[in-house]
């Protein structure tokens, strides 16, 4: 599977790609650059929005609006002028933390991850954020965590996946598909410790396989619904951060990367967004339901 450059950027810490099927745009972030990108895969052109704090993930709303995970909490982004405002604080008072890997989940809610800005051990958490007629409801799911990652969900919405990267294992948990809330205790899905692999972001294909970016290993690895390794795709950068499926047929795997901490010229393509044409379709990004009037 040949690897191409989808967007010729050099993000310090590229992360959080999602493909918006309605607009045919890829959205992604440079967390350390405090920047949100909107790209057209057919041309390779992109625009961006600068924030005044780290931002890491986008949540596509069923209304067409976009919400963003930032260090201070949940932002609403106005599509016409790309202005933004904080609408729900999350750990805003904690100057040590920022948002990390986060994703819309079954039931119109999101899983919102946080971590230490300086990689402080066990400074982070994963929350369930939902909205009803009474307003936003924030429920802690898993804490303490050091670097929450690999957040993704099975095609039927009955299984959630996540990890704490330093623990070198991906977990799975049964979900209520109507709410995205866990049912029961997380179980081991994939143990990567024997290979010394660092799991980062992940995406799921229509067959229920989990495609996991592995930081420092220069690859995205595929694991079947049973947790067994199936294959891996090598990329021309070591610090691979997160994949997502997109494109007209949902068969393009877009992959973000990072140049953080690398010596100048060491990896010329580090920080680019890559594209791989896959033999399998991916799942469309789930849409949250946050757009009711505040």
């Amino acid at each position: 599977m040949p690897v191409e450059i989808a967007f010729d950027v050099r993000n310090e810490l590229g992360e959080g790609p999602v493909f918006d099927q309605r607009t045919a745009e890829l959205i992604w972030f440079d967390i350390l650059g405090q920047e949100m990108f909107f790209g057209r895969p057919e041309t390779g052109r992109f625009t961006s929005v600068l924030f005044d704090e780290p931002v890491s993930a986008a949540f596509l709303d069923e209304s067409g609006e976009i919400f963003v995970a930032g260090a201070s909490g949940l932002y609403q982004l106005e599509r016409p002028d790309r202005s933004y405002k904080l609408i729900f604080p999350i750990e805003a008072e904690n100057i040590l933390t920022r948002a990390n890997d986060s994703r819309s989940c079954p039931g119109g809610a999101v899983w919102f991850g946080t971590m230490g800005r300086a990689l402080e051990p066990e400074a982070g958490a994963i929350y369930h954020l939902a909205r009803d007629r009474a307003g936003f409801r924030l429920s802690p799911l898993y804490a303490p965590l050091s670097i929450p990652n690999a957040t993704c969900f099975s095609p039927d919405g009955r299984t959630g996946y996540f990890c704490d990267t330093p623990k070198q294992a991906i977990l799975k948990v049964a979900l209520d598909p109507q709410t995205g809330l866990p049912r029961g205790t997380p179980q081991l899905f994939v143990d990567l410790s024997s290979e010394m692999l660092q799991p980062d972001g992940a995406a799921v294909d229509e067959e229920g396989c989990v495609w996991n970016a592995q930081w420092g290993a220069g690859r995205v690895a595929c694991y079947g619904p049973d947790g067994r390794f199936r294959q891996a795709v090598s990329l021309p950068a070591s610090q691979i951060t997160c994949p997502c499926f997109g494109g007209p047929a949902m068969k393009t795997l877009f992959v973000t990367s990072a140049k953080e901490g690398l010596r100048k010229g060491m990896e010329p393509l580090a920080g680019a967004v890559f594209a791989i044409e896959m033999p399998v379709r991916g799942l469309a990004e789930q849409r949250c339901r946050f757009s009711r009037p505040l």
Side-chain angles (χ1 to χ4, degrees), residues 88-175:
F88 188 77
I90 299 174
E91 295 189 7
E93 76 291 342
N94 189 344
I95 62 173
L96 297 179
T97 63
R98 62 165 174 83
N100 200 52
D101 191 60
S102 305
R103 178 164 258 133
S104 297
C105 70
V110 306
W111 280 25
F112 193 110
T114 66
M115 62 173 284
R117 295 189 188 216
L119 307 180
E120 293 89 346
E122 299 188 341
I126 295 176
Y127 299 91
H128 179 274
L129 179 63
R131 190 176 187 188
D132 57 23
R133 293 180 181 178
F136 284 103
R137 292 179 290 106
L138 187 68
S139 305
L141 295 182
Y142 304 109
L145 301 175
S146 296
I147 308 177
N149 262 317
T151 304
C152 57
F153 306 94
S154 63
D156 64 4
R158 297 183 180 276
T159 304
Y161 302 94
F162 70 98
C163 76
D164 188 356
T165 294
K167 295 183 178 178
Q168 299 180 302
I170 302 173
L171 305 180
K172 65 178 182 179
V173 64
L175 296 183

Side-chain angles (χ1 to χ4, degrees), residues 189-190 192 209-210 212 214 219 221-225 227-230:
F189 176 61
V190 178
L192 300 171
C209 295
V210 176
N212 177 239
Q214 295 174 343
R219 72 177 200 167
C222 175
Y223 301 90
R228 293 184 180 180
F229 173 80
R230 293 197 175 183

Side-chain angles (χ1 to χ4, degrees), residues 180-260:
L181 285 166
R183 288 175 166 173
T185 304
Q187 307 293 321
L188 180 66
F189 176 61
V190 178
D191 184 354
L192 300 171
S193 60
S194 63
E195 301 171 85
M196 297 301 293
L197 294 170
Q198 307 290 326
D200 210 307
V204 177
D205 66 29
E206 65 179 5
E207 297 177 358
C209 295
V210 176
W211 293 81
N212 177 239
Q214 295 174 343
W215 177 273
R219 72 177 200 167
V220 176
C222 175
Y223 301 90
D226 58 2
R228 293 184 180 180
F229 173 80
R230 293 197 175 183
Q231 61 178 305
V233 180
S234 296
L235 293 110
S238 63
Q239 295 177 162
I240 301 303
T241 56
C242 192
C244 84
F245 284 91
M250 293 300 291
K251 294 179 74 173
T252 304
L253 191 69
F254 296 102
V255 186
T256 50
S257 66
K259 66 175 185 178
E260 178 188 11

